[in-house]
Amino acid sequence: MKSLKISFALVAIASLASIYTYIRYLDHYTSPYLDVVINSHVLGESRKIFIRLPDEYNAQKSYPLLLKPMVILI
């Protein structure tokens, strides 16, 4: 019975640690974004781009542009 209680406690601690880590991940690595479709007449197709905005985005301020290509494997 004692080992069952210890096992339950360890599972509970691991679950709480996982939830905490997930919340920290969301806070640090995600941000609001805009998705925009750009139509290319040269390529004859449309491309969807995601524009991530800083947490304290201000439309009156300029920001550096960082590009990260997104590869989708089908």
Side-chain angles (χ1 to χ4, degrees):
M1 187 66 167
K2 185 176 181 179
S3 64
L4 182 61
K5 288 181 182 180
I6 292 172
S7 296
F8 179 75
L10 290 175
V11 169
I13 291 170
S15 297
L16 290 173
S18 296
I19 292 169
Y20 175 75
T21 302
Y22 179 70
I23 291 170
R24 296 255 338 226
Y25 170 83
L26 289 178
D27 287 343
H28 189 319
Y29 290 106
T30 62
S31 61
Y33 67 90
L34 301 173
D35 57 336
V36 179
V37 176
I38 298 177
N39 297 313
S40 172
H41 298 290
V42 174
L43 297 175
E45 62 186 30
S46 298
R47 299 282 174 108
K48 188 171 192 175
I49 61 170
F50 298 94
I51 303 170
R52 293 217 177 262
L53 305 172
D55 289 333
E56 297 177 10
Y57 175 73
N58 178 350
Q60 304 303 316
K61 187 177 175 184
S62 62
Y63 296 90
L65 175 65
L66 301 174
L67 299 175
K68 179 181 177 185
M70 184 179 203
V71 177
I72 299 175
L73 303 174
I74 298 176

